[in-house]
Amino acid sequence: MSSLRHARNCFVASSVLPQSQVARWLSMRFLSSSHQRTVPFVSQHQHRQKTSSVLETIALTPSVRCFGLNNQRCFSSSSSSCAEKRLYTPGPLGVTLNVKEAMLRDVGSRDNEFIECIKYIRHKLIDIAGVSEDEFCCVPVQGSGTFAVDAAFQTALPKEGAKALVIENGSYGKRMVKICESAGIEVHTQSFREDSVVEPEVVEDALRGPVEYDLVAVVHSETSSGVINPVTEVGRIVKENNPDTIFLVDAISSFGAVNLDIQESNIDLFVSSANKCLQGVPGFAFVIARNSVMAKCKGNSRSLALDLYDQVTQLDKTSQFRFTPPTHSMLAFKRALEEFEAEGRVEGRSKRYAANRDVLREGMTKLGFQELLDPSVAGYIITSYKYPTDPNFNFLEFYNRLNEKDFVIYPGKVLDTDCFRIGTIGDLHPQDMADLIQAVEQVCNDMGIILPVQY
């Protein structure tokens, strides 16, 4: 369908929506239609660079009411609701126009096309994980990453008598403890400081204690702070202590951008999400599970919807979900995986994210902001900054002022330390980070905060 035909189908002249909002939407349509056949993807950065020239070719009435087909609105009358915001968060993330466009049509959950989409996704994720389908399976789960973590605990551990050890140094590790408590699973916790990595030798001491654990779990990239934990060393210790202990790793915010050898790390259950480093949209997560472990899980789950054993059994037989799948999210994710390949897989994506992080670190350091973590334990997924002591600094106001400029950082705090977080993943590029630094400086000046900021 041509861009002009898209415009004809999606706009009806009236008197509510300002010209700038309609122009923004049409420019996205023109850009995506003209570029999707010639380049792997159109990033937000490329879109912003090209929008001004595209707008020169679009003639619009001063105001338009925007409806979709069948008179359903596709924009509200609020200008802020239509603003193109850049997301500097750990999720949801900004994605390319091509990924968004992949969702703009409907498919049946049992259509052959969608069945092939599911097959492609499951196969490709095993490939990206660097494991064999003879030893591992990919189990997509409707919902966020937490749904998949919950499903992994529910499925892996029997209803009675199971014991789990959760190694935590942040809010996402603590969330796994809550999952166990809610499911009635006996859970023990080995805690570490939120600004440090987990210590394998301490974990080893815990595993040598009187309790024999059926499962040990840890977060690879603890997104509440930015710490990257030494999963490979922990996995070795877990299996040396007891080869039958299941090793579960939450790699939700690292898979696709931080190298982790699943086999070398002795991982049995590996959890991640579509809307993180693989740059899909929210809607589903997935578990990459060792077949020998999954084969023992029949009847374990306390939940019907979160039963990974039943889910993978159905998928293996029919390539269909048991219950309504997130069709649009999976169509978008297929496109995202194609972009992932075009960018150079883990190596290419990690290179861009690390470059983003370098620009952020240099700029925020010049402004005086202090990082929570020592560089030796920090990753390039997200960075935590301590609140300045300047009496004029108020995080809510700081956040809202940036948001008004269409820069969205992570609101609120999840750690004990007063800090805010800035993500460097998703469809962000070094220029986006430079633009954010400039906006932060402007906001600080507007708030009367002395630069460099004081601690």
Side-chain angles (χ1 to χ4, degrees), residues 348-388:
R349 192 141 294 178
S350 63
K351 182 178 180 180
R352 173 162 60 86
Y353 290 173
N356 290 346
R357 161 77 164 132
D358 290 343
V359 174
L360 177 68
R361 171 176 283 173
E362 180 181 357
M364 293 293 279
T365 299
K366 286 182 179 179
L367 296 178
F369 285 92
Q370 292 183 4
E371 295 182 17
L372 172 68
L373 302 178
D374 185 274
S376 63
V377 301
Y380 44 78
I381 301 299
I382 194 167
T383 305
S384 296
Y385 289 98
K386 299 176 183 177
Y387 285 2

Side-chain angles (χ1 to χ4, degrees), residues 111-170:
D111 285 355
N112 287 335
E113 178 190 356
F114 187 66
I115 288 173
E116 291 303 314
C117 176
I118 293 172
K119 290 179 180 178
Y120 175 87
I121 288 172
R122 294 184 69 204
H123 172 77
K124 183 58 70 174
L125 288 173
I126 290 290
D127 174 52
I128 295 170
V131 293
S132 166
E133 290 180 324
D134 293 334
E135 295 183 67
F136 288 84
C137 59
C138 175
V139 195
V141 180
Q142 300 96 318
S144 69
T146 299
F147 281 66
V149 174
D150 198 340
F153 276 101
Q154 297 266 12
T155 303
L157 296 174
K159 294 183 177 71
E160 302 291 338
K163 296 179 177 66
L165 173 65
V166 172
I167 306 163
E168 66 85 11
N169 59 340

Side-chain angles (χ1 to χ4, degrees), residues 357 360-373 383-390 393-395 398 402 409 418-422 436-437 439-445 447 449-455:
R357 161 77 164 132
L360 177 68
R361 171 176 283 173
E362 180 181 357
M364 293 293 279
T365 299
K366 286 182 179 179
L367 296 178
F369 285 92
Q370 292 183 4
E371 295 182 17
L372 172 68
L373 302 178
T383 305
S384 296
Y385 289 98
K386 299 176 183 177
Y387 285 2
T389 55
D390 191 303
F393 179 83
N394 175 279
F395 176 72
F398 179 73
L402 283 173
I409 64 173
D418 287 331
C419 61
F420 61 91
R421 297 177 286 165
I422 298 177
L436 174 65
I437 295 300
V440 168
E441 183 175 8
Q442 291 173 350
V443 166
C444 287
N445 289 330
M447 292 176 65
I449 298 169
I450 297 174
L451 295 175
V453 297
Q454 304 298 309
Y455 287 92

Side-chain angles (χ1 to χ4, degrees), residues 13-230:
S14 184
S15 58
V16 174
L17 199 62
Q19 176 181 354
S20 60
Q21 295 177 23
V22 179
R24 182 183 298 113
W25 192 89
L26 276 178
S27 70
M28 292 172 67
R29 300 299 308 164
F30 270 78
L31 280 170
S32 58
S33 298
S34 61
H35 284 272
Q36 65 183 358
R37 294 179 180 86
T38 58
V39 297
F41 57 88
V42 178
S43 69
Q44 291 182 26
H45 177 56
Q46 291 169 314
H47 164 60
R48 285 186 290 273
Q49 287 181 319
K50 299 176 185 296
T51 296
S52 58
S53 62
V54 172
L55 289 178
E56 295 174 0
T57 69
I58 302 174
L60 295 171
T61 56
S63 60
V64 171
R65 172 173 291 162
C66 178
F67 289 87
L69 298 177
N70 301 320
N71 283 340
Q72 295 185 4
R73 294 178 69 94
C74 49
F75 283 124
S76 77
S77 59
S78 167
S79 60
S80 62
S81 67
C82 292
E84 179 193 346
K85 294 182 181 293
R86 280 179 268 186
L87 305 182
Y88 301 81
T89 69
L93 306 176
V95 300
T96 67
L97 292 174
N98 283 340
V99 168
K100 294 171 186 173
E101 285 216 324
M103 296 188 291
L104 296 181
R105 62 193 186 88
D106 300 322
V107 294
S109 61
R110 305 192 189 282
D111 285 355
N112 287 335
E113 178 190 356
F114 187 66
I115 288 173
E116 291 303 314
C117 176
I118 293 172
K119 290 179 180 178
Y120 175 87
I121 288 172
R122 294 184 69 204
H123 172 77
K124 183 58 70 174
L125 288 173
I126 290 290
D127 174 52
I128 295 170
V131 293
S132 166
E133 290 180 324
D134 293 334
E135 295 183 67
F136 288 84
C137 59
C138 175
V139 195
V141 180
Q142 300 96 318
S144 69
T146 299
F147 281 66
V149 174
D150 198 340
F153 276 101
Q154 297 266 12
T155 303
L157 296 174
K159 294 183 177 71
E160 302 291 338
K163 296 179 177 66
L165 173 65
V166 172
I167 306 163
E168 66 85 11
N169 59 340
S171 65
Y172 293 94
K174 290 181 173 67
R175 185 177 295 178
M176 292 197 288
V177 175
K178 291 183 179 180
I179 286 171
C180 290
E181 292 172 345
S182 296
I185 297 168
E186 181 179 338
V187 59
H188 298 223
T189 307
Q190 181 65 61
S191 298
F192 296 88
R193 288 172 43 132
E194 61 190 20
D195 60 352
S196 65
V197 297
V198 303
E199 301 172 29
E201 58 274 16
V202 176
V203 175
E204 186 171 17
D205 289 341
L207 292 174
R208 288 178 175 174
V211 180
E212 185 171 316
Y213 295 103
D214 300 280
L215 182 149
V216 175
V218 68
V219 177
H220 183 211
S221 173
E222 179 48 77
T223 327
S224 58
S225 64
V227 168
I228 301 291
N229 284 317

